[in-house]
C-alpha cells in the first residue's frame, strides 16, 4: 500500500506548491502543465486501481500525469503565444492579461470612442484590424466583447451605451475577417469599475472595451489526455 500513497503525496505536493511564493512566480504555461499533471495523475490512479490494485494505481498515476502535463501545457502554450502576439499590436494604455485559460485585452474607450458615443473615432478601426489579425491566427478560441462605462449617467443609458460599443467593436472585427460565430457581445455598464469614478482619470480607465478569449471546444478536445499522442505501454512484469 506504500505505492498508492506516493501518488497521493505527489498530488498533495502540487496542492501545497500552489499556495507558496514560488508558485506565484511561475509562468502560465508551467501552471497549466502542473495542474494537468495533477488531474491526469488522479484519473490514472483511479483507473489503474480499478484494474490492478495498488500497483495498478501507481502505474496509472504515472501515465496519467504524463498525459495531463501534455494537455495542460498545450492550452497554456497556445494562450501564451496569443497574448504575446496581441501585446505587439496594441498601445501602452491598453492591457493584455492572462488569467488561467482566459486572455483579456482591455482597450481604452477614449481611444476608440468620443465620450458618450458609440461611434468609432478615426484610427480606431486600424487598431481593431490589427487585433483581428491576431484573432484570426488563433481560431481555436471563443471571443466575448464586453463594453464598460463610468458611473456618470443613468444605469439604463450606460447599459445601452456599453452594449452599443461592444457591438461596434464586433462589427469591425467581423468585417476584418473574424468569424462572427466566434463572437458574443454584452454591456456591463458601470458595474465593474477597475478604478475610482471620483476622478477624471479613474473614469477614463473605467470607460473601456474588453475582448476576452477562451479555448473553444476543439482546442479543449485536442488537449484531453485521451487525444494526446499514444505511447507503447511497458510490458507487465510476471507476478
Amino acid at each position: 500500500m506504500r505505492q498508492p500513497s506516493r501518488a497521493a503525496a505527489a498530488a498533495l505536493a502540487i496542492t501545497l506548491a500552489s499556495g507558496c511564493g514560488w508558485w506565484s512566480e511561475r509562468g502560465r504555461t508551467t501552471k497549466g502543465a502542473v495542474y494537468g499533471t495533477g488531474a491526469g495523475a488522479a484519473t490514472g490512479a483511479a483507473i489503474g486501481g480499478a484494474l490492478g490494485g495498488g500497483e495498478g494505481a501507481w502505474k496509472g498515476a504515472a501515465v496519467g500525469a504524463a498525459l495531463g502535463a501534455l494537455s495542460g501545457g498545450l492550452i497554456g502554450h497556445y494562450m501564451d503565444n496569443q497574448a504575446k502576439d496581441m501585446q505587439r499590436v496594441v498601445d501602452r494604455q491598453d492591457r493584455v492579461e492572462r488569467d488561467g485559460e482566459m486572455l483579456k485585452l482591455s482597450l481604452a474607450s477614449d481611444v476608440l470612442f468620443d465620450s458618450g458615443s458609440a461611434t468609432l473615432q478615426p484610427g480606431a478601426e486600424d487598431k481593431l484590424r490589427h487585433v483581428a489579425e491576431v484573432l484570426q491566427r488563433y481560431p481555436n478560441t471563443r471571443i466575448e466583447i464586453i463594453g464598460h462605462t463610468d458611473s456618470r449617467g443613468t444605469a439604463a443609458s450606460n447599459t445601452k451605451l456599453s452594449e452599443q460599443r461592444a457591438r461596434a467593436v464586433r462589427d469591425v472585427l467581423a468585417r476584418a475577417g473574424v468569424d462572427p460565430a466566434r463572437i458574443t457581445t454584452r454591456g456591463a455598464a458601470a458595474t465593474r469599475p477597475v478604478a475610482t469614478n471620483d476622478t477624471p482619470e479613474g473614469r477614463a480607465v473605467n470607460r473601456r472595451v474588453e475582448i476576452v478569449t477562451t479555448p473553444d471546444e476543439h482546442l479543449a478536445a485536442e488537449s484531453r489526455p485521451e487525444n494526446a499522442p499514444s505511447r507503447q505501454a511497458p510490458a507487465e512484469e510476471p507476478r
Side-chain angles (χ1 to χ4, degrees), residues 109-161:
S109 268
D110 284 354
V111 177
L112 299 179
F113 306 98
D114 286 328
S115 179
S117 170
T119 301
L120 287 162
Q121 296 193 74
E125 289 202 22
D126 288 338
K127 171 185 283 191
L128 291 174
R129 278 193 288 268
H130 290 310
V131 170
E133 290 173 1
V134 176
L135 294 173
Q136 288 175 279
R137 289 201 294 271
Y138 297 88
N140 294 129
T141 52
R142 292 184 296 266
I143 304 163
E144 182 179 34
I145 302 173
I146 310 168
H148 301 268
T149 68
D150 61 34
S151 61
R152 294 180 299 179
T154 66
S157 64
N158 283 336
T159 296
K160 181 179 179 180
L161 178 60

Side-chain angles (χ1 to χ4, degrees), residues 39-219:
T43 303
I47 295 172
L51 296 178
E55 184 177 1
W58 177 242
K59 291 180 178 178
V63 174
L67 294 176
L70 287 173
S71 65
L74 174 62
I75 290 179
H77 185 67
Y78 191 92
M79 300 304 287
D80 275 344
N81 285 342
Q82 184 180 194
K84 291 175 184 176
D85 285 355
M86 194 67 78
Q87 190 66 67
R88 293 189 187 103
V89 303
V90 296
D91 299 323
R92 290 184 178 180
Q93 68 266 33
D94 304 315
R95 298 192 307 277
V96 179
E97 303 172 64
R98 272 288 309 280
D99 184 4
E101 295 181 355
M102 179 183 72
L103 175 64
K104 180 169 66 176
L105 169 62
S106 294
L107 298 169
S109 268
D110 284 354
V111 177
L112 299 179
F113 306 98
D114 286 328
S115 179
S117 170
T119 301
L120 287 162
Q121 296 193 74
E125 289 202 22
D126 288 338
K127 171 185 283 191
L128 291 174
R129 278 193 288 268
H130 290 310
V131 170
E133 290 173 1
V134 176
L135 294 173
Q136 288 175 279
R137 289 201 294 271
Y138 297 88
N140 294 129
T141 52
R142 292 184 296 266
I143 304 163
E144 182 179 34
I145 302 173
I146 310 168
H148 301 268
T149 68
D150 61 34
S151 61
R152 294 180 299 179
T154 66
S157 64
N158 283 336
T159 296
K160 181 179 179 180
L161 178 60
S162 62
E163 290 172 347
Q164 290 174 332
R165 286 177 166 177
R167 289 195 294 267
V169 170
R170 175 203 60 194
D171 291 345
V172 174
L173 296 180
R175 286 198 300 270
V178 179
D179 183 359
R182 296 172 57 193
I183 306 174
T184 59
T185 65
R186 65 185 174 93
T191 61
R192 290 167 54 187
V194 292
T196 179
N197 277 301
D198 296 332
T199 66
E201 295 79 12
R203 290 192 294 271
V205 173
N206 289 332
R207 294 192 300 269
R208 67 197 189 280
V209 173
E210 293 175 341
I211 300 176
V212 180
T213 63
T214 53
D216 67 8
E217 61 276 10
H218 301 295
L219 181 57

